[in-house]
Amino acid sequence: KTIEKWEPGTALDFSEGMADEDPESLSNWYEFDEKSGRLKYLIIDRLAAHFAKVHPALSIGGALYQYQGGVYRQLADDQIKMQIRQHLLPGKARVHSLNEALSLYKMLTFTEPDDTNNKPYLVNVKNGVLDLRSYKLHEHSPRLKSTIQIAAVYDPEAEAPRFRKYLEEVLDEDARHVLQEVAGYLVSGYSLAKKAFILTGVQSSGKSLFINTIEMLLGEDSCSHVALQDLGERFATAQLFGKTLN
């Protein structure tokens, strides 16, 4: 109930006329001559509709994010074309057909950027979706339009004695609590602080260790590395989309 009902990003429906018996049947998107059985033509609309149904995706700003492993992951156009090609008859894959199917697939899954990752109280982890309001773990679902997944498994019984010892060795109690709050803030989807967190201290005081630990926790796909002085450059902020840490 905490996850909204997922709906395609368009009201158009090209699935009419598709066979119900076998969703993978080529007859769903190929037209054959009833008498000779020879191929007449490919119905691109039906192929794209089938693809959008079995491969939930989000088309955001021209980039395609396909649902895999509980999260929407960005794929290159050529990767999608390779998937589409597997649904075509051998020797019948044409560049224009692949391009048309990809374009329709993107249209059918069009999504506004503001409609993704917009439930900060739901944290996507490896083994489900954690609701921070109740600390209940829900199963993954394509209904949650999430392009961010924490590279960790949620275990309510887990402890981190080595990490706690590290914090106690390098920080006083007040600073330790602040750093733990920062870590929790980065793991969550909240961005209300509108702050940049800067670690200061003498050399070899554990700053890099903390940063490396957070990057490992969040995962490579959730981190960007745009220098502070470069954020004012044109298109630089585009690299921050879907990232939890920079």
Side-chain angles (χ1 to χ4, degrees):
K1 293 182 179 181
T2 62
I3 301 178
E4 67 176 1
K5 182 180 179 181
W6 180 82
E7 296 180 352
T10 176
L12 298 177
D13 183 9
F14 294 122
S15 60
E16 184 177 355
M18 292 176 62
D20 296 328
E21 293 78 10
D22 182 6
E24 293 293 335
S25 173
L26 295 178
S27 62
N28 284 328
W29 47 86
Y30 276 111
E31 188 72 23
F32 295 91
D33 185 274
E34 294 184 0
K35 294 183 178 181
S36 66
R38 292 181 178 180
L39 173 66
K40 294 173 65 177
Y41 51 83
L42 169 66
I43 308 174
I44 297 290
D45 296 350
R46 291 184 186 174
L47 173 59
H50 164 79
F51 220 71
K53 183 177 181 179
V54 299
H55 297 290
L58 307 175
S59 179
I60 307 170
L64 199 69
Y65 295 76
Q66 198 176 80
Y67 188 74
Q68 298 179 354
V71 66
Y72 286 91
R73 305 181 187 278
Q74 185 174 0
L75 297 182
D77 285 357
D78 284 346
Q79 291 178 286
I80 302 297
K81 290 177 185 179
M82 287 295 294
Q83 294 178 351
I84 296 174
R85 185 176 180 274
Q86 295 174 5
H87 291 71
L88 300 178
L89 288 170
K92 297 297 182 180
R94 299 292 183 266
V95 172
H96 68 86
S97 298
L98 296 174
N99 289 335
E100 288 183 37
L102 175 61
S103 295
L104 282 173
Y105 183 36
K106 287 185 176 182
M107 184 187 70
L108 290 168
T109 57
F110 173 77
T111 306
E112 293 287 355
D114 290 343
D115 292 334
T116 64
N117 306 314
N118 59 355
K119 290 180 170 52
Y121 51 84
L122 297 179
V123 180
N124 193 337
V125 293
K126 288 292 186 181
N127 58 332
V129 179
L130 177 64
D131 192 331
L132 296 179
R133 300 170 300 180
S134 61
Y135 284 93
K136 290 183 178 179
L137 190 67
H138 302 271
E139 292 184 355
H140 285 126
S141 170
R143 296 187 180 95
L144 181 64
K145 299 177 182 179
S146 171
T147 62
I148 300 173
Q149 186 179 79
I150 303 302
V153 170
Y154 174 67
D155 180 2
E157 305 299 326
E159 297 182 357
R162 293 184 63 184
F163 186 69
R164 289 179 180 273
K165 183 179 180 181
Y166 149 73
L167 292 177
E168 293 172 356
E169 290 176 347
V170 301
L171 299 169
D172 59 39
E173 185 175 358
D174 289 340
R176 188 163 62 247
H177 289 323
V178 171
L179 211 58
Q180 287 177 298
E181 287 182 12
V182 170
Y185 178 78
L186 294 174
V187 169
S188 76
Y190 289 96
S191 58
L192 301 177
K194 305 295 182 183
K195 302 290 184 181
F197 303 109
I198 300 176
L199 303 182
T200 62
V202 298
Q203 189 175 1
S204 300
S205 58
K207 299 186 296 299
S208 295
L209 178 59
F210 176 77
I211 293 174
N212 292 338
T213 301
I214 296 300
E215 285 190 344
M216 180 179 66
L217 176 64
L218 298 178
E220 182 179 351
D221 292 341
S222 298
C223 301
S224 58
H225 299 86
V226 182
L228 187 61
Q229 63 269 21
D230 295 335
L231 289 177
E233 296 185 3
R234 190 181 184 186
F235 304 125
T237 55
Q239 301 179 50
L240 305 183
F241 177 78
K243 305 299 182 182
T244 302
L245 175 68
N246 178 59

PDB file of all heavy atoms in Angstrom, residues 224-240:
ATOM      1  N   SER A 224      28.455  10.036  -8.104  1.00  0.00           N
ATOM      2  CA  SER A 224      29.069  10.786  -9.202  1.00  0.00           C
ATOM      3  C   SER A 224      30.313  11.473  -8.653  1.00  0.00           C
ATOM      4  O   SER A 224      30.509  11.565  -7.436  1.00  0.00           O
ATOM      5  CB  SER A 224      28.091  11.816  -9.779  1.00  0.00           C
ATOM      6  OG  SER A 224      27.654  12.720  -8.776  1.00  0.00           O
ATOM      7  N   HIS A 225      31.147  11.963  -9.556  1.00  0.00           N
ATOM      8  CA  HIS A 225      32.412  12.574  -9.132  1.00  0.00           C
ATOM      9  C   HIS A 225      32.661  13.864  -9.921  1.00  0.00           C
ATOM     10  O   HIS A 225      33.647  13.985 -10.645  1.00  0.00           O
ATOM     11  CB  HIS A 225      33.571  11.595  -9.314  1.00  0.00           C
ATOM     12  CG  HIS A 225      33.431  10.333  -8.509  1.00  0.00           C
ATOM     13  ND1 HIS A 225      32.735   9.240  -8.971  1.00  0.00           N
ATOM     14  CD2 HIS A 225      33.878  10.000  -7.279  1.00  0.00           C
ATOM     15  CE1 HIS A 225      32.769   8.278  -8.061  1.00  0.00           C
ATOM     16  NE2 HIS A 225      33.449   8.704  -7.025  1.00  0.00           N
ATOM     17  N   VAL A 226      31.730  14.798  -9.772  1.00  0.00           N
ATOM     18  CA  VAL A 226      31.865  16.097 -10.417  1.00  0.00           C
ATOM     19  C   VAL A 226      32.486  17.067  -9.406  1.00  0.00           C
ATOM     20  O   VAL A 226      31.952  17.269  -8.325  1.00  0.00           O
ATOM     21  CB  VAL A 226      30.495  16.641 -10.881  1.00  0.00           C
ATOM     22  CG1 VAL A 226      30.672  17.978 -11.595  1.00  0.00           C
ATOM     23  CG2 VAL A 226      29.809  15.632 -11.795  1.00  0.00           C
ATOM     24  N   ALA A 227      33.630  17.659  -9.766  1.00  0.00           N
ATOM     25  CA  ALA A 227      34.325  18.571  -8.853  1.00  0.00           C
ATOM     26  C   ALA A 227      33.453  19.787  -8.546  1.00  0.00           C
ATOM     27  O   ALA A 227      32.673  20.242  -9.381  1.00  0.00           O
ATOM     28  CB  ALA A 227      35.655  19.019  -9.459  1.00  0.00           C
ATOM     29  N   LEU A 228      33.590  20.301  -7.325  1.00  0.00           N
ATOM     30  CA  LEU A 228      32.776  21.438  -6.889  1.00  0.00           C
ATOM     31  C   LEU A 228      32.918  22.622  -7.832  1.00  0.00           C
ATOM     32  O   LEU A 228      31.933  23.289  -8.169  1.00  0.00           O
ATOM     33  CB  LEU A 228      33.180  21.838  -5.459  1.00  0.00           C
ATOM     34  CG  LEU A 228      32.324  22.907  -4.781  1.00  0.00           C
ATOM     35  CD1 LEU A 228      30.882  22.439  -4.643  1.00  0.00           C
ATOM     36  CD2 LEU A 228      32.896  23.243  -3.396  1.00  0.00           C
ATOM     37  N   GLN A 229      34.140  22.878  -8.297  1.00  0.00           N
ATOM     38  CA  GLN A 229      34.369  24.020  -9.188  1.00  0.00           C
ATOM     39  C   GLN A 229      33.791  23.809 -10.578  1.00  0.00           C
ATOM     40  O   GLN A 229      33.681  24.756 -11.367  1.00  0.00           O
ATOM     41  CB  GLN A 229      35.869  24.327  -9.295  1.00  0.00           C
ATOM     42  CG  GLN A 229      36.708  23.225  -9.907  1.00  0.00           C
ATOM     43  CD  GLN A 229      37.250  22.262  -8.866  1.00  0.00           C
ATOM     44  OE1 GLN A 229      36.717  22.170  -7.763  1.00  0.00           O
ATOM     45  NE2 GLN A 229      38.319  21.551  -9.212  1.00  0.00           N
ATOM     46  N   ASP A 230      33.413  22.567 -10.906  1.00  0.00           N
ATOM     47  CA  ASP A 230      32.879  22.275 -12.238  1.00  0.00           C
ATOM     48  C   ASP A 230      31.351  22.287 -12.285  1.00  0.00           C
ATOM     49  O   ASP A 230      30.768  22.187 -13.368  1.00  0.00           O
ATOM     50  CB  ASP A 230      33.368  20.903 -12.714  1.00  0.00           C
ATOM     51  CG  ASP A 230      34.877  20.867 -12.924  1.00  0.00           C
ATOM     52  OD1 ASP A 230      35.449  21.952 -13.158  1.00  0.00           O
ATOM     53  OD2 ASP A 230      35.457  19.772 -12.849  1.00  0.00           O
ATOM     54  N   LEU A 231      30.696  22.408 -11.144  1.00  0.00           N
ATOM     55  CA  LEU A 231      29.232  22.338 -11.107  1.00  0.00           C
ATOM     56  C   LEU A 231      28.576  23.498 -11.848  1.00  0.00           C
ATOM     57  O   LEU A 231      27.422  23.404 -12.254  1.00  0.00           O
ATOM     58  CB  LEU A 231      28.744  22.303  -9.657  1.00  0.00           C
ATOM     59  CG  LEU A 231      29.021  21.003  -8.897  1.00  0.00           C
ATOM     60  CD1 LEU A 231      28.550  21.122  -7.456  1.00  0.00           C
ATOM     61  CD2 LEU A 231      28.336  19.822  -9.584  1.00  0.00           C
ATOM     62  N   GLY A 232      29.313  24.602 -11.998  1.00  0.00           N
ATOM     63  CA  GLY A 232      28.755  25.744 -12.710  1.00  0.00           C
ATOM     64  C   GLY A 232      28.848  25.638 -14.210  1.00  0.00           C
ATOM     65  O   GLY A 232      28.270  26.462 -14.937  1.00  0.00           O
ATOM     66  N   GLU A 233      29.563  24.618 -14.705  1.00  0.00           N
ATOM     67  CA  GLU A 233      29.710  24.453 -16.139  1.00  0.00           C
ATOM     68  C   GLU A 233      28.445  23.891 -16.770  1.00  0.00           C
ATOM     69  O   GLU A 233      27.670  23.177 -16.120  1.00  0.00           O
ATOM     70  CB  GLU A 233      30.898  23.531 -16.448  1.00  0.00           C
ATOM     71  CG  GLU A 233      32.243  24.095 -16.019  1.00  0.00           C
ATOM     72  CD  GLU A 233      33.382  23.203 -16.441  1.00  0.00           C
ATOM     73  OE1 GLU A 233      33.121  22.187 -17.121  1.00  0.00           O
ATOM     74  OE2 GLU A 233      34.542  23.522 -16.101  1.00  0.00           O
ATOM     75  N   ARG A 234      28.251  24.202 -18.030  1.00  0.00           N
ATOM     76  CA  ARG A 234      27.062  23.759 -18.748  1.00  0.00           C
ATOM     77  C   ARG A 234      26.996  22.234 -18.809  1.00  0.00           C
ATOM     78  O   ARG A 234      27.993  21.564 -19.089  1.00  0.00           O
ATOM     79  CB  ARG A 234      27.081  24.337 -20.168  1.00  0.00           C
ATOM     80  CG  ARG A 234      25.773  24.144 -20.928  1.00  0.00           C
ATOM     81  CD  ARG A 234      25.872  24.728 -22.329  1.00  0.00           C
ATOM     82  NE  ARG A 234      24.603  24.626 -23.033  1.00  0.00           N
ATOM     83  CZ  ARG A 234      24.434  24.963 -24.314  1.00  0.00           C
ATOM     84  NH1 ARG A 234      25.472  25.415 -25.012  1.00  0.00           N
ATOM     85  NH2 ARG A 234      23.248  24.846 -24.881  1.00  0.00           N
ATOM     86  N   PHE A 235      25.848  21.710 -18.506  1.00  0.00           N
ATOM     87  CA  PHE A 235      25.542  20.275 -18.541  1.00  0.00           C
ATOM     88  C   PHE A 235      26.205  19.484 -17.412  1.00  0.00           C
ATOM     89  O   PHE A 235      25.996  18.268 -17.314  1.00  0.00           O
ATOM     90  CB  PHE A 235      25.925  19.639 -19.887  1.00  0.00           C
ATOM     91  CG  PHE A 235      25.294  20.299 -21.077  1.00  0.00           C
ATOM     92  CD1 PHE A 235      26.074  20.769 -22.123  1.00  0.00           C
ATOM     93  CD2 PHE A 235      23.924  20.464 -21.149  1.00  0.00           C
ATOM     94  CE1 PHE A 235      25.495  21.379 -23.224  1.00  0.00           C
ATOM     95  CE2 PHE A 235      23.335  21.075 -22.246  1.00  0.00           C
ATOM     96  CZ  PHE A 235      24.116  21.530 -23.288  1.00  0.00           C
ATOM     97  N   ALA A 236      27.006  20.112 -16.571  1.00  0.00           N
ATOM     98  CA  ALA A 236      27.692  19.372 -15.507  1.00  0.00           C
ATOM     99  C   ALA A 236      26.702  18.766 -14.518  1.00  0.00           C
ATOM    100  O   ALA A 236      26.868  17.626 -14.067  1.00  0.00           O
ATOM    101  CB  ALA A 236      28.678  20.283 -14.780  1.00  0.00           C
ATOM    102  N   THR A 237      25.652  19.525 -14.199  1.00  0.00           N
ATOM    103  CA  THR A 237      24.686  19.028 -13.220  1.00  0.00           C
ATOM    104  C   THR A 237      23.869  17.852 -13.748  1.00  0.00           C
ATOM    105  O   THR A 237      23.251  17.122 -12.965  1.00  0.00           O
ATOM    106  CB  THR A 237      23.733  20.154 -12.788  1.00  0.00           C
ATOM    107  OG1 THR A 237      23.108  20.727 -13.948  1.00  0.00           O
ATOM    108  CG2 THR A 237      24.478  21.248 -12.040  1.00  0.00           C
ATOM    109  N   ALA A 238      23.858  17.653 -15.063  1.00  0.00           N
ATOM    110  CA  ALA A 238      23.123  16.518 -15.627  1.00  0.00           C
ATOM    111  C   ALA A 238      23.710  15.200 -15.131  1.00  0.00           C
ATOM    112  O   ALA A 238      23.002  14.187 -15.049  1.00  0.00           O
ATOM    113  CB  ALA A 238      23.155  16.565 -17.154  1.00  0.00           C
ATOM    114  N   GLN A 239      25.000  15.224 -14.766  1.00  0.00           N
ATOM    115  CA  GLN A 239      25.647  14.008 -14.278  1.00  0.00           C
ATOM    116  C   GLN A 239      25.179  13.650 -12.872  1.00  0.00           C
ATOM    117  O   GLN A 239      25.464  12.551 -12.387  1.00  0.00           O
ATOM    118  CB  GLN A 239      27.169  14.202 -14.279  1.00  0.00           C
ATOM    119  CG  GLN A 239      27.763  14.514 -15.642  1.00  0.00           C
ATOM    120  CD  GLN A 239      29.261  14.724 -15.577  1.00  0.00           C
ATOM    121  OE1 GLN A 239      29.997  13.911 -15.020  1.00  0.00           O
ATOM    122  NE2 GLN A 239      29.733  15.817 -16.147  1.00  0.00           N
ATOM    123  N   LEU A 240      24.467  14.562 -12.216  1.00  0.00           N
ATOM    124  CA  LEU A 240      24.016  14.315 -10.846  1.00  0.00           C
ATOM    125  C   LEU A 240      22.659  13.633 -10.805  1.00  0.00           C
ATOM    126  O   LEU A 240      22.237  13.200  -9.725  1.00  0.00           O
ATOM    127  CB  LEU A 240      23.931  15.644 -10.072  1.00  0.00           C
ATOM    128  CG  LEU A 240      25.194  16.504 -10.032  1.00  0.00           C
ATOM    129  CD1 LEU A 240      24.955  17.739  -9.178  1.00  0.00           C
ATOM    130  CD2 LEU A 240      26.390  15.707  -9.515  1.00  0.00           C
TER     131      LEU A 240
END
